[in-house]
Amino acid sequence: MSYQSSLQSALQKASKLDSLGVHLIRIAVAIIFIWIGALKFAPYEADSITPFVANSPVMSFFYEHPTEYKEHLTHEGQLDPAKRAWQTQNHTYAFSDGLGTVEILIGLMVLTYAFSRRLGMVGAILAFLTPLVTLSFLITTPEAWVSNIGDAQYGFPYLSGGGRLVLKDVLMLAGAVVMIADSARKLLQPTTQISRCPATKEPTQQWIGLP
């Protein structure tokens, strides 16, 4: 087999990977939602999202003292009982537990596409809406950008560690669009039910509409 024919054969096989890609996108999105959602029950993760929630105009009301968060921040792996007590009083952990529960449920709904087309569509839509909220943190959260503390590179476009973490949701947003389109195609496909005609006992197909 010549190089050209081998290349053409490989490209033909690669051209059929889109159907596999949709399944992989769903699994990847579900893993992110479930894993990150489970981490929301850990105090260090709840602490790390404090600046995002405290500065969000649609989330800050969940906290008791959203404007006082800066002096109570800790680093990952650091244990400061006084600051942790403040975070508890601030409802930081209660909010994070609730958010984690929602994220885990979204991840599970994304996976249900294999059993329920409708739940799969709901999960895909929620997976699309969630990154929209997350990406808004780039506008509302000062800590999403490098601070002006001496270096020449600060502010836009210099994303901090938190800002880089938020930016990855652009891929989540794009993946959710693919999932929504795939779920819509499946919902538009007619579903048939096999039954037997009482008179002839012959199998017949009956359209039963959207699943």
Side-chain angles (χ1 to χ4, degrees):
M1 183 180 292
S2 66
Y3 168 78
Q4 185 173 359
S5 60
S6 298
L7 178 60
Q8 185 175 4
S9 176
L11 290 174
Q12 287 176 344
K13 293 179 180 178
S15 68
K16 301 176 182 178
L17 290 175
D18 53 341
S19 58
L20 174 62
V22 173
H23 297 304
L24 292 178
I25 287 174
R26 290 184 186 276
I27 294 171
V29 169
I31 288 174
I32 292 173
F33 270 105
I34 294 172
W35 196 333
I36 300 299
L39 289 178
K40 290 291 190 298
F41 292 88
Y44 88 93
E45 173 67 11
D47 291 349
S48 70
I49 66 172
T50 302
F52 301 111
V53 179
N55 288 286
S56 172
V58 297
M59 292 185 180
S60 59
F61 69 91
F62 284 106
Y63 284 173
E64 186 71 21
H65 309 288
T67 60
E68 302 173 15
Y69 72 92
K70 289 186 178 181
E71 57 189 285
H72 302 284
L73 292 177
T74 57
H75 299 288
E76 293 180 357
Q78 177 186 2
L79 175 60
D80 187 321
K83 291 182 178 179
R84 184 155 293 179
W86 182 90
Q87 295 283 21
T88 301
Q89 183 184 15
N90 188 48
H91 302 157
T92 300
Y93 303 131
F95 171 78
S96 187
D97 291 350
L99 180 60
T101 301
V102 171
E103 290 178 344
I104 291 172
L105 289 175
I106 292 174
L108 293 175
M109 278 194 287
V110 167
L111 289 178
T112 60
Y113 79 98
F115 312 102
S116 171
R117 297 178 182 181
R118 289 181 178 178
L119 274 179
M121 172 61 91
V122 173
I125 293 173
L126 292 175
F128 174 81
L129 295 176
T130 302
L132 289 179
V133 177
T134 304
L135 290 170
S136 72
F137 294 152
L138 293 177
I139 300 173
T140 61
T141 310
E143 286 84 356
W145 308 94
V146 175
S147 301
N148 181 10
I149 52 177
D151 202 353
Q153 289 78 38
Y154 64 89
F156 181 86
Y158 303 106
L159 292 164
S160 66
R164 295 193 294 272
L165 182 65
V166 169
L167 190 64
K168 64 99 173 68
D169 272 42
V170 172
L171 284 174
M172 292 276 286
L173 194 70
V177 172
V178 175
M179 293 191 302
I180 290 172
D182 182 64
S183 293
R185 281 193 296 268
K186 286 183 169 61
L187 283 169
L188 289 171
Q189 293 174 355
T191 305
T192 57
Q193 178 176 289
I194 304 297
S195 61
R196 291 187 177 274
C197 176
T200 64
K201 302 299 183 181
E202 292 295 325
T204 61
Q205 289 186 338
Q206 179 184 9
W207 184 66
I208 58 176
L210 294 179

